[in-house]
Coordinates of all heavy atoms in Angstrom, one line a residue:
L631 N -2.3 31.6 20.0 CA -3.3 30.6 19.6 C -3.2 29.3 20.5 O -4.1 28.5 20.6 CB -3.2 30.2 18.2 CG -3.3 31.5 17.2 CD1 -3.0 31.1 15.8 CD2 -4.8 32.0 17.3
L651 N -15.9 51.4 33.3 CA -15.9 51.2 34.8 C -17.3 50.7 35.2 O -18.3 51.1 34.6 CB -15.6 52.6 35.5 CG -14.3 53.2 35.2 CD1 -14.1 54.5 35.9 CD2 -13.1 52.3 35.6
L701 N -17.1 61.5 38.6 CA -15.8 61.8 38.1 C -15.9 62.5 36.7 O -16.9 62.1 36.0 CB -14.9 60.6 37.9 CG -14.6 59.8 39.2 CD1 -13.7 58.6 38.8 CD2 -13.9 60.6 40.2

Side-chain angles (χ1 to χ4, degrees):
L631 303 171
L651 297 177
L701 301 178

